[in-house]
Amino acid sequence: YLLGNLNNGQCSEEERAALCALRASEFGRTKESLASLALPERFIISRLNQLVASVSESLDEYAFGESGRQISEFLWDEYADWYIEISKTRLVNAQDDDAATKERAAAARSTLVFVLDSCLRLLHPFMPFVTEAIWQRMPHDGERELALITAEWPDRDGAVDDAALRAFGRVQALIRAVRNVRAEYQVEPKKRIPAIIVCTAQLEADTLREEDASLELLARLDPAALEIRVVQDSSAGAEEELSSDQYVQLVVADGLQVYLPTTELINVEKETARLNKQLAKMEKDLEGLSKRLNAPGFADKAPPAVVEQTKTQAAELQERIATVQLRLKQLSAMSSSC
């Protein structure tokens, strides 16, 4: 992915030269260099710098297994799962004439290169041949560093933006909450759903608006129906319309909530048909169990364990039938309100 984006013609010769000189610059090492970046870039570089410090300490103590585990988890769980996905929102329109778009794309490419380059250096003691082969294909200053085996170890004292770590953690929690609801309601993976995000902090609302493309991509939200509101108190200040049964309310964190329209999560017609089919089968099964229990001599002749098991099955079916009937009433009410 990274090499493809560097070799697809979107990266100018001037930017390539800057990427080759990245290691000799202050990029990602000082708080000043982080301050000019957007939240996802500040987050991933801060986590990288924490990783470098932790892995270096573990290697000093000969804890090789722990070092390898930390690098692997960072690469897959944070770099790949989160930052690479978010970087796609920066690179998709990289050829636009808009200066801000080009700047965000350049910052994303610099971050992608800087983080992967650092991880290859951390991994080199464990995987010397593979990491060397990959590193040689990446932008680097060939005169300053001929090979990864002789390259400098990443800086242990790189800057960490604690505020960015906390802020991005809330963004992650928001995306996970929406994903969980989508899974619970079995929403089709490709379907984009509307959402109303309610914040109590103006700064957080501004950050979410800046990263709306990331929210839309990772939580599969509808760009045309994504609304971010600021209220004084998210527990009491949200509009009355959001408190109805027409929305699923997600309390993400203190001062951060999400409201998802129930009708967009469920296809009422399909769900009603599915539940009616399920209800008919359960009622038929219950009828069979009832006939067995009421049959002459069943309670006297059948083993006590079998009788008890049949009664238990009948009771469980009655409970499930009541649950499905209640859900059908709710769906009927939703259909009437649409």
Side-chain angles (χ1 to χ4, degrees), residues 148 155-156 240 268 273 293 300 303 333:
L148 184 56
D155 188 358
R156 296 184 181 214
E240 186 177 343
V268 176
L293 288 170
D300 298 328

Side-chain angles (χ1 to χ4, degrees), residues 302-310:
V306 174
V307 176
E308 188 62 31
Q309 182 183 25
T310 305

Side-chain angles (χ1 to χ4, degrees), residues 136-152:
Q136 289 293 343
R137 296 184 62 191
M138 291 182 58
H140 64 276
D141 187 346
E143 295 182 1
R144 181 169 172 268
E145 295 179 320
L146 292 175
L148 184 56
I149 193 172
T150 59
E152 294 180 353

Side-chain angles (χ1 to χ4, degrees), residues 183-197:
E184 181 182 346
Y185 282 84
Q186 299 180 341
V187 180
E188 295 178 4
K190 292 184 179 180
K191 182 178 180 179
R192 293 185 177 271
I193 59 176
I196 300 174
I197 301 173

